[in-house]
Amino acid sequence: MIHRIHILLLVLTSQTCLLANGKSLINPNLRIVNGSNAGVGEFPFMCALYYKGFFTCGATILSEEWILTAAHCVYNRDESEFSVLTGTNDLMDPNGTETYVSQVIIHEQYQNTIDQVDDIALLKLTVALEFDSLTQPVTLSQPNGDPPANSAVVVMGWGVNQYKGHPMQYLQKATIDLYNNPSCEAIYEPYGINILGTNLCAGTPQGGIGQCTGDSGGPVVVEGSPTVQVGVVSFSAKPCGIQGFPGVNTRVSQFIHWIQNNTDL
């Protein structure tokens, strides 16, 4: 018997986290599903994406002027209303730096459908970031450089810690495992969802750990020296962390040339 699940985008459709006077009006006690607080400066490339002053998605720093996120986080929205918060794990930290976005570039073949094909976007900032120990660019996975299935990866974000919950205050992280694409395809295909070569799936067989609403656009990384981003959070089954359904991410290594062609990187 096929169990009923809901495949939804991991994006805050009801914007519940207001950035006002350097502070976010959120519930400070919630977190990524069964994650833990990230250390200060542990992921200096991580940033929070805001729309009209409300937290909406995660993102990563590519350079002083460029940010990487998911296309569905910015699709059909006014690009002048986006800003990013950098240099902090705490959405209520008055010392974090808010910078507005001047340009949004969505992948030309992005499809806002259940498959979320080519779910990737670039943001250009109005003012260049100043790098320090809390603000640094991420290293991206290169073509043919992705780790094998069953490798441990880390997903992070300020998303909710349960389905229909609220964004949390502190950046959360969780360690999960990569799935091979055929296994992931076998899980999602009965529900009419295609897993493509541009996707990267990650989760745990037992469930209960992983990405949830609001974590969209944030990174999936392999920790090391340097830590390498292999995925951009795209979508998953609901309720969050349901057993047997890994999260689906955009495979960064398949978009390196697209990123280079659209930036000065």
Side-chain angles (χ1 to χ4, degrees):
M1 177 182 293
I2 296 178
H3 297 285
R4 183 180 296 276
I5 64 168
H6 301 280
I7 307 299
L8 300 174
L9 299 182
L10 295 180
V11 64
L12 290 179
T13 53
S14 60
Q15 298 166 323
T16 56
C17 177
L18 175 64
L19 185 67
N21 297 322
K23 292 188 176 181
S24 301
L25 306 181
I26 60 173
N27 184 331
N29 299 314
L30 301 179
R31 57 178 181 267
I32 199 169
V33 179
N34 289 322
S36 59
N37 286 356
V40 174
E42 184 176 4
F43 304 111
F45 46 79
M46 185 67 184
C47 54
L49 179 62
Y50 284 77
Y51 183 67
K52 294 185 177 180
F54 292 85
F55 171 76
T56 190
C57 279
T60 49
I61 300 169
L62 295 180
S63 72
E64 292 93 340
E65 294 184 315
W66 290 99
I67 303 294
L68 182 68
T69 191
H72 77 259
C73 291
V74 296
Y75 179 74
N76 203 26
R77 286 175 158 182
D78 182 353
E79 65 182 27
S80 68
E81 297 286 356
F82 285 106
S83 63
V84 295
L85 182 68
T86 58
T88 183
N89 287 354
D90 180 355
L91 294 185
M92 297 181 70
D93 183 358
N95 295 315
T97 300
E98 183 186 17
T99 308
Y100 279 86
V101 171
S102 64
Q103 182 182 10
V104 173
I105 301 175
I106 295 175
H107 195 280
E108 298 81 5
Q109 296 179 342
Y110 169 63
Q111 297 179 25
N112 186 31
T113 62
I114 194 170
D115 294 333
Q116 288 298 296
V117 176
D118 295 339
D119 189 12
I120 193 168
L122 294 163
L123 313 177
K124 189 172 185 180
L125 302 177
T126 56
V127 178
L129 299 174
E130 295 184 8
F131 289 159
D132 56 25
S133 61
L134 299 179
T135 306
Q136 288 289 318
V138 71
T139 298
L140 299 180
S141 181
Q142 297 299 306
N144 302 315
D146 290 337
N150 300 316
S151 296
V153 294
V154 175
V155 63
M156 66 195 74
W158 287 278
V160 303
N161 75 331
Q162 60 185 354
Y163 183 42
K164 295 185 178 180
H166 300 280
M168 72 301 187
Q169 176 176 353
Y170 299 105
L171 179 65
Q172 299 293 297
K173 63 177 182 177
T175 300
I176 52 180
D177 298 321
L178 291 181
Y179 281 55
N180 62 49
N181 274 29
S183 296
C184 193
E185 171 72 16
I187 292 168
Y188 279 98
E189 190 276 333
Y191 302 93
I193 296 175
N194 297 309
I195 301 300
L196 308 174
T198 51
N199 292 130
L200 182 103
C201 299
T204 60
Q206 71 273 20
I209 301 175
Q211 63 210 44
C212 201
T213 305
D215 292 323
S216 283
V220 177
V221 304
V222 177
E223 290 191 285
S225 296
T227 292
V228 176
Q229 182 175 357
V230 295
V232 175
V233 175
S234 184
F235 68 90
S236 72
K238 297 295 188 298
C240 301
I242 185 172
Q243 184 176 4
F245 288 85
V248 182
N249 310 282
T250 301
R251 188 183 293 268
V252 170
S253 63
Q254 297 297 304
F255 295 92
I256 294 300
H257 296 310
W258 178 81
I259 292 171
Q260 292 172 339
N261 289 339
N262 284 280
T263 68
D264 53 1
L265 303 178

